[in-house]
Amino acid sequence: MKNLLSLLLLVVVSVWQAGACTTAVISGKYTKDGRPMIWKLRDTESFENKMMYFTDGKYPYIGMINSNDEKGEQVWGGSNAMGFAIMNSASFNVNMQDTTSLKDQEGRFMKLALQQCSNLEEFEQLLKDTPKPMGLAAHFGVLDADGNVAFYEVNNHTFTKFDANDPAQAPNGYILRTNYSFTGKKDIGYGFIRFQTAQDIFYQADAYGNINSQTVIQDFSRCLKHPVLKKDYRKEYETIPYDENFVNSGDLITRHGSSSMILIEGVKEGEDKDMATIWTQVGFPNTSIALPVWVKGGKNLPKVLLADGKENCPLNAMAMELKDRCYPISRSAGYKYLKVSELINAEKTGIIQKLEKAEEELFKNTEEHQKKWRSAKVNKKEIEEFYQWLDDYTYKTYKGMLDTQKYQSL
């Protein structure tokens, strides 16, 4: 009995450590501005995330990393100077009979892809050339500067491509994945309810022609819907005054285990390839403001996204402090229970409500700069100046919710 309990604990811990993400690849044929996108809502035990600019490969690139990964040896989503971008979600129904000890290589593999791939063709060649077994069990969402965008379901030995530009494979122009592969063993894996939620919200947004970066960040990454219970907690609690109101968030797209979000918008023909927009929330998406960065801007990213060595970045630290208010029950299974009134309430003082009010100006300002930069050559200095505005605006946004002085000194 003791051995059985130990085995069950190991399985639970392994699943938790591997990460359970909700992801999508979206064709530019179906987005509002014609640019392809890849989206990852990251779930992992590594709650402290930050961004890093790299020059250690064939191409410069920006990637999201765990804050304690001092050298950036693993990347969990990013884009390079050629407009090639990648993210992933773990798959738990492949390699089931494989006894190889090599596994959990996804972060290292994505770093390698960003270092040396300029398009999907080169990425496929990398998959072919990587020695087998690869130590991979994942869905890799990939886009390039030519408008190609696809998922690759990958196991230790093979891969299968799902093309978002192919009407036969993606009739609605997007493909969703959580934590089971369509090429894997049926009815095994995780994230079936999250997949259903993603289907519902993407279909609804597509019907109204609203698939753009703001919709994905605000409506999808901060979604509080539960399709099985037929509940939309966000809509419900908008009319309920602030109180000790809790919901079980275990099957929501964003739950206690959600550590960050990354959304990458590709470029159009004629635009600079290193101007793909990398939107990120480096902390719990319900408490983290969304900020954009570009490889063209170089290494001087917004300071709120950066930290030296193994330190955590300021934005993540602020988002984590607010997250603690949302999950105040620390004992036993208390992490499942979200104090939803901290996020949404009738008084409109919820964290989500405050962040999204602030993001109205942020999205507007970003769009104005993007229009200018896409029609004319932009230099790093202009982008760095905009990054300074993002830093200032971020602290201004959080000042009303917590003491920002201790984070400005980080």
Side-chain angles (χ1 to χ4, degrees), residues 121-133:
E121 183 179 359
E122 291 184 0
F123 177 71
E124 291 175 18
Q125 192 60 51
L126 177 62
L127 284 168
K128 293 174 183 176
D129 293 344
T130 299
K132 311 303 185 287

Side-chain angles (χ1 to χ4, degrees), residues 304 386-397 408:
V304 291
F386 183 66
Y387 286 167
Q388 181 60 59
W389 180 84
L390 290 176
D391 278 327
D392 295 340
Y393 193 73
T394 297
Y395 285 119
K396 177 183 174 182
T397 298
Q408 288 177 282

